Amino acid sequence: MVTITDIANACGVSRATVSKALNGAPDVSRETADRIRETAASLGYLPNATARALKLGRSYNIGVLFSDETGGGISHEYFSRILESVKAESERLGYDITFISKDLGRMSMDYYEHAKYRSCDGVVIASADFQDPAIVRLAASEIPTVTLDYSFDNCSSILSDNVRGMEALVRFVHGKGHRRIAFIHGEITSVTQKRLASFRRTCAELGVPVPAEYIRPAVYHDPRSSGLATRALLALPDRPTCILFPDDLSFLGGMSELEKHGLAIPKDMSVAGYDGIPLSQVLRPRLTTYRQGAERMGAEAARLLIEQIEQPDTWIPQQITVEGELLEGNTVADIG
Amino acid sequence: MVTITDIANACGVSRATVSKALNGAPDVSRETADRIRETAASLGYLPNATARALKLGRSYNIGVLFSDETGGGISHEYFSRILESVKAESERLGYDITFISKDLGRMSMDYYEHAKYRSCDGVVIASADFQDPAIVRLAASEIPTVTLDYSFDNCSSILSDNVRGMEALVRFVHGKGHRRIAFIHGEITSVTQKRLASFRRTCAELGVPVPAEYIRPAVYHDPRSSGLATRALLALPDRPTCILFPDDLSFLGGMSELEKHGLAIPKDMSVAGYDGIPLSQVLRPRLTTYRQGAERMGAEAARLLIEQIEQPDTWIPQQITVEGELLEGNTVADIG
DNA sequence: TAATGTGACTTAATCGATTAAGTTAACGGA
DNA sequence: TCCGTTAACTTAATCGATTAAGTCACATTA
């Protein structure tokens, strides 16, 4: 391994001078600096991030947290889009990313300890149980933290616009003439609550009644549970004309249930999803859904976090809401 | 930050003794060791991975490489399953994982340099253009490397069993009576070549003729291009009775094309996919496909890599082939 | 009794890079 | 000529942990 000492020897200067030359310090002469840089290049010198981190107390490494337990793991489309954009933006800004988990080999530690152990400069919490004391501890710690789809006091956060997303969907189906709109929602989280509230408020604004039995619980990303919820809705004496699903994958469960009942989409039942995963746009009929701005969310998360890391003095917590877009498929019939 | 020095002071011993006590060295008395461990716990001591890495020349950190350019990014189901299992197994064995990329901020470096810079103990190459000189350099370097779905000399590799996967599919549809089997394949890579070869060989073994026009190129994970390939197949005077798609997502493109022609699956055309993504199993009809053993592949990759890192002397390159399973849906009609 | 051994420490060097503080020679101005 | 200044270095401490080598008191053995 080529170190700063090798360059120093090769150039007949001290290690200090090499370090300064490579970092562009002012008190190295032009010629010496050039000579050092050339030698460094010719020897194939690479700085050692570890040594630098130890000395500087800055690792240029940020942790990302995807809690697997909540099922919001990396393999869900929405989260992998977020991960990918956090990664891309971080790299653009000169930071690597490392996963933060509970426990590591035989060491048992919580998220905060893990992040400390790896001396992460900051952490992006992308999917987690925000009630988990370990998450709360991390968010409340001195480590700069940005959360996605949840807000802690004193942490910046990036929020998908669930309020406006749900509103857009409701207004869209209302515009198509629907007045009996059912909503199958995922597990109760802050995201779900926002969508529920927005659903209710928008319906109220539009003068659309929302019978209690039109709101059915299910589990995100679980076609089976949405299928059951769909069945329950179909059993109602006063069936809805349109069903909003918790997400696109869940819609598939509903779809097969509708099929079983011999109901065609959108002729006999209108439906809409949420997320706008690529699949939704190649399905026939193309699914009407709301695509969250995951790419921008990830990028903004990285940007905010690194800003906080690099300018801790001027930093104040920020909440950024990222809008998505309504993907108007053809699963909502015009019954106006 | 609580360091080893704080513990040393609190216990009235030297830092060396603390380090030894915490690492279970034999030359520390029972009582002293206990006292040190208690003090460490009560002070909330956490080892500093950075300092340890610097001294030991071991970071307990492995790099993972998902080249974005090839489109085999993190967000594809197969790769995210691999990532997730590499992560889980690495963590179980006490290693963190960090993404390796080209370039980092204003530093331009190749993969090898990046891995060196972060002192990764090893690298898993999960998706990449294996012709890329930067990838070749990394694989040929002194850094332990495991590749997925590709073999380099002197590197261990984990291979999805494309040969047996394709064979299983062909034998399955053949068993259902199909004799005119078309195959839409993805871009020519080593994986694709294996599938193509296996397709041809199995057909030959079964005595099924394979007209050249039954083999159509397309692009992986791109429903549009598979749609076009499907259209070309349908235009043939002697239509196939069954189409094998490059992957499940691509099948969706074919599906909508079939729909346009008023052809029902599987009545008018049988189809099969590849990958076995969750979606494929909630679609109606349920897709016949081959699910690759991504979870085992990721876990084996991590295991092999860490084995090589920890026992470099006894190490020899290994190739492990991981079998998947045929998911027998109902998109293949029995026309026997 | 002297030599030898041993258990339980401490000392000090080391990993690679950074940086405050110190040194030295050259130069300018009075 | 002498002093102050400045450019261009070097010295040495430091980040936190590890470990080979050294020390020392005490026990054992011939």
Short mmCIF file of all heavy atoms in Angstrom, two decimals, chain B residues 293-333:
data_model
loop_
_atom_site.label_atom_id
_atom_site.label_comp_id
_atom_site.label_asym_id
_atom_site.label_seq_id
_atom_site.Cartn_x
_atom_site.Cartn_y
_atom_site.Cartn_z
N GLY B 293 -32.90 -18.79 -6.92
CA GLY B 293 -32.67 -18.83 -5.48
C GLY B 293 -31.84 -17.66 -4.99
O GLY B 293 -30.78 -17.84 -4.38
N ALA B 294 -32.35 -16.47 -5.23
CA ALA B 294 -31.58 -15.26 -4.91
C ALA B 294 -31.15 -15.20 -3.45
O ALA B 294 -30.03 -14.80 -3.14
CB ALA B 294 -32.39 -14.02 -5.28
N GLU B 295 -32.04 -15.58 -2.55
CA GLU B 295 -31.70 -15.50 -1.13
C GLU B 295 -30.49 -16.38 -0.83
O GLU B 295 -29.56 -15.95 -0.16
CB GLU B 295 -32.88 -15.94 -0.26
CG GLU B 295 -33.99 -14.91 -0.14
CD GLU B 295 -34.84 -14.85 -1.39
OE1 GLU B 295 -34.78 -15.79 -2.23
OE2 GLU B 295 -35.57 -13.84 -1.56
N ARG B 296 -30.53 -17.59 -1.35
CA ARG B 296 -29.39 -18.47 -1.07
C ARG B 296 -28.14 -17.97 -1.78
O ARG B 296 -27.04 -18.05 -1.25
CB ARG B 296 -29.69 -19.91 -1.52
CG ARG B 296 -29.99 -20.84 -0.34
CD ARG B 296 -29.73 -22.30 -0.70
NE ARG B 296 -28.33 -22.59 -0.98
CZ ARG B 296 -27.93 -23.54 -1.85
NH1 ARG B 296 -28.83 -24.25 -2.51
NH2 ARG B 296 -26.64 -23.75 -2.05
N MET B 297 -28.33 -17.40 -2.95
CA MET B 297 -27.17 -16.90 -3.68
C MET B 297 -26.47 -15.79 -2.90
O MET B 297 -25.24 -15.79 -2.76
CB MET B 297 -27.60 -16.36 -5.05
CG MET B 297 -28.08 -17.45 -6.00
SD MET B 297 -28.69 -16.76 -7.55
CE MET B 297 -27.16 -16.11 -8.25
N GLY B 298 -27.25 -14.86 -2.39
CA GLY B 298 -26.67 -13.76 -1.63
C GLY B 298 -25.97 -14.26 -0.38
O GLY B 298 -24.85 -13.84 -0.06
N ALA B 299 -26.63 -15.17 0.31
CA ALA B 299 -26.06 -15.69 1.54
C ALA B 299 -24.77 -16.46 1.27
O ALA B 299 -23.77 -16.29 1.97
CB ALA B 299 -27.08 -16.58 2.25
N GLU B 300 -24.79 -17.25 0.20
CA GLU B 300 -23.59 -18.02 -0.13
C GLU B 300 -22.45 -17.10 -0.55
O GLU B 300 -21.28 -17.34 -0.24
CB GLU B 300 -23.88 -19.01 -1.27
CG GLU B 300 -24.82 -20.15 -0.91
CD GLU B 300 -24.16 -21.21 -0.05
OE1 GLU B 300 -22.95 -21.09 0.24
OE2 GLU B 300 -24.85 -22.16 0.36
N ALA B 301 -22.81 -16.05 -1.25
CA ALA B 301 -21.78 -15.10 -1.69
C ALA B 301 -21.09 -14.49 -0.47
O ALA B 301 -19.86 -14.45 -0.39
CB ALA B 301 -22.41 -13.99 -2.54
N ALA B 302 -21.89 -14.06 0.49
CA ALA B 302 -21.32 -13.45 1.70
C ALA B 302 -20.48 -14.48 2.45
O ALA B 302 -19.37 -14.21 2.90
CB ALA B 302 -22.44 -12.91 2.58
N ARG B 303 -21.01 -15.67 2.56
CA ARG B 303 -20.32 -16.72 3.31
C ARG B 303 -18.98 -17.04 2.66
O ARG B 303 -17.94 -17.06 3.33
CB ARG B 303 -21.20 -17.97 3.34
CG ARG B 303 -20.79 -19.01 4.36
CD ARG B 303 -21.70 -20.23 4.29
NE ARG B 303 -21.71 -20.88 2.98
CZ ARG B 303 -20.70 -21.60 2.48
NH1 ARG B 303 -19.60 -21.77 3.18
NH2 ARG B 303 -20.79 -22.14 1.28
N LEU B 304 -18.98 -17.25 1.36
CA LEU B 304 -17.74 -17.59 0.66
C LEU B 304 -16.72 -16.47 0.79
O LEU B 304 -15.54 -16.71 1.01
CB LEU B 304 -18.01 -17.80 -0.83
CG LEU B 304 -18.38 -19.19 -1.31
CD1 LEU B 304 -18.21 -19.26 -2.82
CD2 LEU B 304 -17.49 -20.24 -0.65
N LEU B 305 -17.20 -15.25 0.64
CA LEU B 305 -16.29 -14.11 0.68
C LEU B 305 -15.63 -14.01 2.05
O LEU B 305 -14.42 -13.85 2.17
CB LEU B 305 -17.04 -12.82 0.37
CG LEU B 305 -16.17 -11.57 0.32
CD1 LEU B 305 -15.15 -11.67 -0.81
CD2 LEU B 305 -17.02 -10.31 0.13
N ILE B 306 -16.44 -14.13 3.07
CA ILE B 306 -15.91 -13.96 4.43
C ILE B 306 -15.00 -15.13 4.80
O ILE B 306 -14.00 -14.96 5.48
CB ILE B 306 -17.09 -13.77 5.41
CG1 ILE B 306 -17.73 -12.42 5.14
CG2 ILE B 306 -16.62 -13.87 6.87
CD1 ILE B 306 -19.05 -12.18 5.82
N GLU B 307 -15.32 -16.29 4.26
CA GLU B 307 -14.44 -17.44 4.46
C GLU B 307 -13.07 -17.14 3.86
O GLU B 307 -12.04 -17.37 4.49
CB GLU B 307 -15.06 -18.63 3.74
CG GLU B 307 -14.89 -19.96 4.43
CD GLU B 307 -15.76 -20.99 3.74
OE1 GLU B 307 -16.94 -21.09 4.14
OE2 GLU B 307 -15.29 -21.66 2.81
N GLN B 308 -13.10 -16.59 2.67
CA GLN B 308 -11.83 -16.27 2.00
C GLN B 308 -11.06 -15.19 2.77
O GLN B 308 -9.84 -15.25 2.87
CB GLN B 308 -12.11 -15.79 0.57
CG GLN B 308 -10.87 -15.35 -0.17
CD GLN B 308 -11.17 -14.92 -1.59
OE1 GLN B 308 -12.31 -15.00 -2.04
NE2 GLN B 308 -10.15 -14.44 -2.29
N ILE B 309 -11.80 -14.23 3.32
CA ILE B 309 -11.16 -13.16 4.07
C ILE B 309 -10.52 -13.71 5.34
O ILE B 309 -9.40 -13.34 5.69
CB ILE B 309 -12.21 -12.09 4.46
CG1 ILE B 309 -12.70 -11.34 3.22
CG2 ILE B 309 -11.64 -11.11 5.48
CD1 ILE B 309 -13.93 -10.49 3.46
N GLU B 310 -11.22 -14.62 5.98
CA GLU B 310 -10.75 -15.07 7.29
C GLU B 310 -9.79 -16.25 7.22
O GLU B 310 -9.01 -16.45 8.15
CB GLU B 310 -11.96 -15.39 8.17
CG GLU B 310 -12.84 -14.15 8.35
CD GLU B 310 -13.91 -14.28 9.42
OE1 GLU B 310 -14.25 -15.41 9.79
OE2 GLU B 310 -14.40 -13.21 9.88
N GLN B 311 -9.87 -17.02 6.14
CA GLN B 311 -8.88 -18.10 5.99
C GLN B 311 -8.22 -18.02 4.62
O GLN B 311 -8.42 -18.87 3.76
CB GLN B 311 -9.55 -19.47 6.14
CG GLN B 311 -9.93 -19.79 7.57
CD GLN B 311 -11.38 -20.14 7.69
OE1 GLN B 311 -11.96 -20.73 6.79
NE2 GLN B 311 -12.00 -19.78 8.80
N PRO B 312 -7.42 -16.99 4.44
CA PRO B 312 -6.80 -16.78 3.12
C PRO B 312 -5.86 -17.93 2.74
O PRO B 312 -5.65 -18.19 1.56
CB PRO B 312 -6.05 -15.47 3.28
CG PRO B 312 -5.89 -15.26 4.73
CD PRO B 312 -6.99 -15.99 5.41
N ASP B 313 -5.33 -18.62 3.73
CA ASP B 313 -4.32 -19.64 3.43
C ASP B 313 -4.92 -20.89 2.82
O ASP B 313 -4.40 -21.45 1.86
CB ASP B 313 -3.57 -20.01 4.70
CG ASP B 313 -2.93 -18.78 5.32
OD1 ASP B 313 -2.52 -17.88 4.55
OD2 ASP B 313 -2.87 -18.71 6.56
N THR B 314 -6.04 -21.31 3.40
CA THR B 314 -6.63 -22.54 2.92
C THR B 314 -7.61 -22.30 1.77
O THR B 314 -8.23 -23.22 1.28
CB THR B 314 -7.39 -23.24 4.06
OG1 THR B 314 -8.48 -22.40 4.46
CG2 THR B 314 -6.48 -23.45 5.26
N TRP B 315 -7.72 -21.04 1.38
CA TRP B 315 -8.73 -20.70 0.39
C TRP B 315 -8.39 -21.17 -1.02
O TRP B 315 -7.26 -21.08 -1.46
CB TRP B 315 -8.96 -19.19 0.38
CG TRP B 315 -9.89 -18.74 -0.70
CD1 TRP B 315 -11.24 -18.79 -0.70
CD2 TRP B 315 -9.51 -18.20 -1.98
NE1 TRP B 315 -11.74 -18.31 -1.88
CE2 TRP B 315 -10.70 -17.93 -2.68
CE3 TRP B 315 -8.29 -17.91 -2.59
CZ2 TRP B 315 -10.72 -17.40 -3.95
CZ3 TRP B 315 -8.31 -17.37 -3.88
CH2 TRP B 315 -9.51 -17.12 -4.54
N ILE B 316 -9.39 -21.69 -1.70
CA ILE B 316 -9.29 -21.91 -3.14
C ILE B 316 -10.60 -21.44 -3.76
O ILE B 316 -11.65 -21.53 -3.14
CB ILE B 316 -9.07 -23.39 -3.50
CG1 ILE B 316 -10.00 -24.27 -2.65
CG2 ILE B 316 -7.63 -23.81 -3.29
CD1 ILE B 316 -10.18 -25.65 -3.22
N PRO B 317 -10.52 -20.91 -4.98
CA PRO B 317 -11.74 -20.38 -5.61
C PRO B 317 -12.79 -21.48 -5.74
O PRO B 317 -12.48 -22.62 -6.05
CB PRO B 317 -11.28 -19.89 -6.97
CG PRO B 317 -9.89 -20.38 -7.16
CD PRO B 317 -9.34 -20.71 -5.83
N GLN B 318 -14.00 -21.11 -5.49
CA GLN B 318 -15.10 -22.07 -5.60
C GLN B 318 -16.21 -21.52 -6.47
O GLN B 318 -16.44 -20.32 -6.48
CB GLN B 318 -15.70 -22.33 -4.22
CG GLN B 318 -14.93 -23.28 -3.35
CD GLN B 318 -15.66 -23.52 -2.05
OE1 GLN B 318 -16.76 -24.06 -2.02
NE2 GLN B 318 -15.06 -23.10 -0.95
N GLN B 319 -16.87 -22.39 -7.17
CA GLN B 319 -18.07 -21.99 -7.91
C GLN B 319 -19.23 -22.72 -7.26
O GLN B 319 -19.19 -23.94 -7.15
CB GLN B 319 -18.01 -22.41 -9.38
CG GLN B 319 -16.63 -22.37 -10.02
CD GLN B 319 -16.00 -21.01 -10.01
OE1 GLN B 319 -16.68 -20.00 -10.03
NE2 GLN B 319 -14.67 -20.97 -9.95
N ILE B 320 -20.22 -21.97 -6.86
CA ILE B 320 -21.40 -22.61 -6.30
C ILE B 320 -22.58 -22.32 -7.21
O ILE B 320 -22.80 -21.17 -7.60
CB ILE B 320 -21.69 -22.10 -4.87
CG1 ILE B 320 -20.57 -22.55 -3.93
CG2 ILE B 320 -23.04 -22.60 -4.38
CD1 ILE B 320 -20.82 -22.22 -2.48
N THR B 321 -23.29 -23.34 -7.54
CA THR B 321 -24.47 -23.15 -8.37
C THR B 321 -25.70 -23.34 -7.49
O THR B 321 -25.82 -24.34 -6.80
CB THR B 321 -24.48 -24.17 -9.52
OG1 THR B 321 -23.33 -23.94 -10.32
CG2 THR B 321 -25.72 -24.00 -10.36
N VAL B 322 -26.55 -22.36 -7.51
CA VAL B 322 -27.74 -22.42 -6.65
C VAL B 322 -28.96 -22.69 -7.51
O VAL B 322 -29.26 -21.94 -8.44
CB VAL B 322 -27.92 -21.09 -5.89
CG1 VAL B 322 -29.22 -21.09 -5.12
CG2 VAL B 322 -26.74 -20.85 -4.96
N GLU B 323 -29.63 -23.75 -7.17
CA GLU B 323 -30.82 -24.09 -7.93
C GLU B 323 -32.02 -23.28 -7.48
O GLU B 323 -32.13 -22.91 -6.32
CB GLU B 323 -31.14 -25.57 -7.75
CG GLU B 323 -30.55 -26.45 -8.81
CD GLU B 323 -31.09 -27.84 -8.70
OE1 GLU B 323 -32.22 -28.08 -9.18
OE2 GLU B 323 -30.39 -28.69 -8.11
N GLY B 324 -32.91 -23.03 -8.40
CA GLY B 324 -34.16 -22.36 -8.05
C GLY B 324 -35.28 -23.38 -8.10
O GLY B 324 -35.04 -24.57 -7.94
N GLU B 325 -36.49 -22.89 -8.33
CA GLU B 325 -37.60 -23.84 -8.39
C GLU B 325 -38.59 -23.41 -9.46
O GLU B 325 -38.81 -22.23 -9.71
CB GLU B 325 -38.32 -23.91 -7.04
CG GLU B 325 -38.65 -22.54 -6.49
CD GLU B 325 -39.55 -22.57 -5.27
OE1 GLU B 325 -40.21 -23.59 -5.04
OE2 GLU B 325 -39.60 -21.55 -4.57
N LEU B 326 -39.19 -24.40 -10.07
CA LEU B 326 -40.20 -24.12 -11.06
C LEU B 326 -41.50 -23.76 -10.35
O LEU B 326 -41.96 -24.51 -9.49
CB LEU B 326 -40.41 -25.36 -11.94
CG LEU B 326 -41.42 -25.19 -13.08
CD1 LEU B 326 -40.78 -24.40 -14.21
CD2 LEU B 326 -41.89 -26.54 -13.58
N LEU B 327 -42.06 -22.61 -10.69
CA LEU B 327 -43.36 -22.24 -10.12
C LEU B 327 -44.40 -22.54 -11.20
O LEU B 327 -44.47 -21.86 -12.22
CB LEU B 327 -43.39 -20.76 -9.74
CG LEU B 327 -42.38 -20.33 -8.68
CD1 LEU B 327 -42.53 -18.84 -8.37
CD2 LEU B 327 -42.54 -21.16 -7.41
N GLU B 328 -45.15 -23.57 -10.92
CA GLU B 328 -46.09 -24.05 -11.92
C GLU B 328 -47.40 -23.26 -11.80
O GLU B 328 -48.23 -23.56 -10.95
CB GLU B 328 -46.34 -25.54 -11.67
CG GLU B 328 -47.14 -26.22 -12.72
CD GLU B 328 -47.21 -27.72 -12.42
OE1 GLU B 328 -46.22 -28.29 -11.92
OE2 GLU B 328 -48.27 -28.30 -12.70
N GLY B 329 -47.55 -22.26 -12.62
CA GLY B 329 -48.77 -21.46 -12.57
C GLY B 329 -49.83 -22.09 -13.45
O GLY B 329 -49.90 -23.30 -13.57
N ASN B 330 -50.62 -21.25 -14.09
CA ASN B 330 -51.56 -21.83 -15.05
C ASN B 330 -51.61 -21.03 -16.34
O ASN B 330 -52.66 -20.67 -16.83
CB ASN B 330 -52.95 -22.00 -14.43
CG ASN B 330 -53.25 -20.92 -13.41
OD1 ASN B 330 -52.83 -19.77 -13.63
ND2 ASN B 330 -53.93 -21.25 -12.35
N THR B 331 -50.43 -20.74 -16.82
CA THR B 331 -50.33 -20.03 -18.09
C THR B 331 -49.86 -20.95 -19.21
O THR B 331 -49.60 -20.51 -20.31
CB THR B 331 -49.34 -18.84 -17.99
OG1 THR B 331 -48.11 -19.32 -17.44
CG2 THR B 331 -49.91 -17.74 -17.11
N VAL B 332 -49.73 -22.23 -18.86
CA VAL B 332 -49.33 -23.19 -19.90
C VAL B 332 -50.46 -24.20 -20.06
O VAL B 332 -50.77 -24.95 -19.13
CB VAL B 332 -48.02 -23.91 -19.52
CG1 VAL B 332 -47.66 -24.95 -20.59
CG2 VAL B 332 -46.89 -22.92 -19.36
N ALA B 333 -51.07 -24.16 -21.23
CA ALA B 333 -52.19 -25.06 -21.47
C ALA B 333 -51.70 -26.48 -21.73
O ALA B 333 -50.63 -26.68 -22.29
CB ALA B 333 -52.99 -24.56 -22.68
#
